[in-house]
Amino acid sequence: MLKGVGIIICIATDDHSRYAIGRLYTLNLPVTAAHMPHKSVLSFFKEHDTPAIALLSDNGQEFCGYPVRPP
């Protein structure tokens, strides 16, 4: 998160092609963490008839099912 701005940057990189997809969010909630792979990453690969075999995350707090509170 950019300090003082309130914007969360989600970035996904394809390890094989080095193609990167990024999105900006204003909320750091579990729903925004799930939105990125489903609406951006998987839909991109589906458009190009390429299977996504695995999706890895940093296992951050936003993937644990509760809102992240700023420090």
Side-chain angles (χ1 to χ4, degrees):
M1 185 161 91
L2 298 173
K3 290 192 180 243
V5 179
I7 296 175
I8 293 92
I9 302 170
C10 294
I11 301 171
T13 305
D14 178 28
D15 195 39
H16 180 71
S17 68
R18 302 291 188 242
Y19 185 81
I21 299 171
R23 288 189 69 113
L24 297 173
Y25 293 100
T26 56
L27 297 173
N28 196 10
L29 298 171
V31 69
T32 58
H35 185 263
M36 172 70 177
H38 287 287
K39 295 294 182 181
S40 297
V41 178
L42 293 177
S43 63
F44 173 80
F45 286 110
K46 188 174 182 178
E47 284 178 19
H48 293 86
D49 294 323
T50 305
I53 296 173
L55 293 175
L56 303 175
S57 74
D58 64 352
N59 231 7
Q61 293 177 343
E62 56 276 347
F63 293 100
C64 296
Y66 55 88
V68 178
R69 290 181 176 76

